[in-house]
Amino acid sequence: MVKKAVIPAAGLGTRFLPVTKAEPKEMLPIVDTPTIQYVIEEAVSAGIEDILIIIGKGKRAIEDHFDRSFELENQLQEKGETQSLEQIQKIANMANIHYIRQKQLNGLGDAIYYARQHVDDEPFAVLLGDTVISSNSHPCIGQLMQLYDRFGASIVAVEQVPRQKISRYGIIKGKAIEPRLYLLEDLVEKPKPEESPSDLAIAGRYILTPDIFDCISRTPKGRGGEIQLTDAIRLMLKYHALYAFNFEGKRYDIGNKMDYLKTIVEFALKRDEFRVEFMEYLEEIIQQKEQKP
Ligand code: UTP
């Protein structure tokens, strides 16, 4: 059974400068909620209570966000703003959150390696701190956890991506064994669309068995001079069966500006208090654009 989650959030977020110069990208708000709060809510709603966040330099805001803030709580209490008070108390009580610092930014594989003592000899969930997945049914990580319970093997979440975007992602080669489920055969980092083994991209959610740590330690530096998790998983494939699951839900990668913009618009439209007025505003803008191209 998977009981712990690891959230890598140490990256510099260079694709999102200048805001990420002093602000962790994981704290970028989706309307009024930091991205990483959605990530933690996903893990918690799947039943995970123990969360390790891999942080780095300049990521203090993440720790502060999930800590108690007595000054703020007192003020809200005095003003009788009970709803806001409950909201911020809930954030601090969501889960048992632990932190560890990645000393040098040596890549996602290296970041995960920092979790080895914390997760010990247990399977664990990995949720990238800059990727939100919304789902109408079960949270994405919960879908993978159910499969772990069936197969006892590592599982990678994948999503279908349009052909023209294939070269941006890690793509899997897999053998379909059930609807949405594949036996993993290979992983290819950013292939050309015409050479790609599929259109299924790795989506920022994983269940990994502790075998990954030995594989990471044996993985040489890869793309960008960093230790890539994808390379470590490829090594793991030599010794273990791994699966890929085309989850039910939608992925929002806030690490790049265009997807971030789309995320905010979609999430705002999901909120009752904004939907009507915001939609009217968007329609107005589109009409103006059509009139003055
Ligand atoms: P990305 O490559 O998307 O994140 O890594 P980045 O390096 O922050 O972004 P850019 O490319 O400079 O804009 C995927 C995930 O792995 C984490 C990141 O925080 C992100 O959640 N990561 C990456 C680490 O924790 N440590 C690393 O050394 C690298």
Side-chain angles (χ1 to χ4, degrees), residues 198-212:
S198 75
D199 60 355
L200 294 169
I202 301 170
R205 298 290 184 267
Y206 312 77
I207 302 293
L208 297 172
T209 58
D211 311 297
I212 192 69

Side-chain angles (χ1 to χ4, degrees), residues 164-175:
Q164 68 272 21
K165 289 192 180 166
I166 276 178
S167 58
R168 290 196 205 164
Y169 296 98
I171 301 287
I172 67 143
K173 180 174 181 230
K175 190 170 135 216

Side-chain angles (χ1 to χ4, degrees), residues 8-16 25-26 54 102 104-108 111 128-130 226 255:
L12 287 179
T14 51
R15 283 168 300 157
F16 225 124
K25 68 173 164 180
E26 297 78 12
I54 315 292
Q102 186 184 15
Q104 244 186 328
L105 294 178
N106 287 330
L108 177 57
L128 297 193
D130 61 357
E226 296 184 336

Side-chain angles (χ1 to χ4, degrees), residues 260-271:
Y260 176 67
L261 285 173
K262 291 178 184 173
T263 305
I264 294 193
V265 171
E266 280 194 41
F267 275 64
L269 290 173
K270 285 185 203 181
R271 296 266 293 261

